[in-house]
Amino acid sequence: MAAGEFELIGRCFTGRGAGRADVRLGVGDDAAIVAPPAGSELVLALDTIVSGTHFPAETAPRFVGHRALAVNLSDLAAMGAEPAWALLGVTLPSGDEAWAAEFARGLDELARRHAVALVGGDTTRGPLAASVMLAGTVPTGGALLRSGARAGEDVWISGTPGDAAAGLAILQGRLAAGGAARDDLLRRFLLPEPRVALGIALRGLATACIDVSDGLAGDLEKLCAASGTGAECDAALLPLSPALLDTAGTELATRLALTGGDDYELLFTAPPAAREAIGALAAGAACRRIGAVTSGGGVRVSGAALPRDAGHGFDHFGK
Ligand code: ADP
Ligand code: MG
């Protein structure tokens, strides 16, 4: 590693995130040492974001740092895990320390809010990309899996899906918006807020859970495939935000909610007997029932098979 990069690690990536008593050794040695609590299991996730693929190349570095951690927090949220320790692998095109410092600030702010310590990583030169390995804990046996859904259960979604895909489209000049709606939708793409508290609260209530990164319909298909079930959702029950409806109209808003990506909301199943308990959760206010688990027959929305253009919403706007 070049001497410049050694200094960059010291100035940008040391002491980031929350201080945690269970970190025995953080940045500075060959590896980190942490002490997971007794009676818990480690839950591990790693997601990479690549410039031009997962975010537009000109995205401000603070938002890139936020996203690098947020996508992993969302994976842990979907498992019902409490996040704790992160490793960061970052590849930078040049030794642009101002860029790295802003990137680190975006990651640091989100990490502190979720009590995550940055305990190590790797810094390299090359095309801009960032990987975070995030570790958290669940009480032994308590994780939420994709595979637990059963016919007759409810399908729930948190938040207002579709907003982030609209925000990306606005950034890329494929969708026009103004005023507060524009700001709302841009923020939903640039600063996603993973549902960590909700995931933890759903332990023992949800039977299956997945975070929505590739579009609600496609991610529901993955959950159903893992559970050996189908699902029937009602498009009229989708929680569409006023900002999305004002900007895109009902038809496009519905399509973005079903097939747009980058929502980082939780899609989960639970028996009807859990409705009251879910409604009573502090984080449950954001959750809506959108359908039911069926014994088979794939995923259907308002009686129709899935839209086949699931992806990142690119198909919705033409060129
Ligand atoms: P090694 O050569 O032993 O792999 P490095 O010189 O790459 O170690 O890294 C030195 C220390 O800095 C290690 O503790 C490593 O975890 C940490 N580190 C390197 N890059 C980052 C980064 N981007 N974020 C956090 N910690 C980092
Ligand atoms: Mg070493």
Side-chain angles (χ1 to χ4, degrees), residues 181-206:
R182 179 187 163 87
D183 294 345
D184 276 5
L185 297 172
L186 286 177
R187 182 163 17 83
R188 293 270 290 151
F189 175 74
L190 292 171
L191 289 171
E193 281 298 329
R195 298 279 183 182
V196 176
L198 176 62
I200 293 169
L202 287 174
R203 286 180 201 154
L205 288 175

Side-chain angles (χ1 to χ4, degrees), residues 247-271:
T247 301
T250 308
E251 198 193 319
L252 179 57
T254 301
R255 260 190 293 144
L256 289 173
L258 286 171
T259 64
D262 300 313
D263 294 309
Y264 303 108
E265 296 294 347
L266 294 186
L267 178 65
F268 59 96
T269 58

